[in-house]
Amino acid sequence: MLEDQFTYLTMAYSDIDMILLKNYLSANGIPVITREKGFGGPIRSIFMGSFTPAHIEVFVKESDYDEATRLIDYEEFSAELDEELWMEEEDKPKKSH
């Protein structure tokens, strides 16, 4: 049995979504593997065009799962950005007119 097995993270519904997600997680040090369900891959693009729906399962290592879910959680990410911007605004000196 593998020590750090891969676990299901999310489903990508197009090749573009999968590439963006994979690159984003990889840039944050999280390796990703994918598996397509049903008819897919390059053959799908040839027969059905490049913007057809896909069902691509995205997996990450169990040890990276919590960090990966945090990274793809838009609401949490957005709240962190808002907090960082608020703190930057508080640190700026006030201009008096």
Side-chain angles (χ1 to χ4, degrees), residues 73-87:
D73 182 0
Y74 176 75
E75 288 180 14
E76 183 176 332
F77 178 72
S78 180
E80 287 177 11
L81 279 180
D82 289 344
E83 184 176 327
E84 286 175 16
L85 291 174
W86 178 79
M87 294 194 66

Side-chain angles (χ1 to χ4, degrees), residues 29-73:
I30 299 175
V32 173
I33 61 171
T34 59
R35 179 177 68 186
E36 291 204 34
K37 296 187 85 170
F39 183 69
I43 294 173
R44 178 176 28 83
S45 298
I46 292 169
F47 287 108
M48 300 181 176
S50 60
F51 297 107
T52 57
H55 298 318
I56 306 167
E57 295 177 329
V58 178
F59 296 85
V60 296
K61 289 183 177 180
E62 287 180 2
S63 60
D64 294 328
Y65 181 81
D66 291 335
E67 179 66 11
T69 55
R70 188 187 69 76
L71 287 170
I72 66 171
D73 182 0

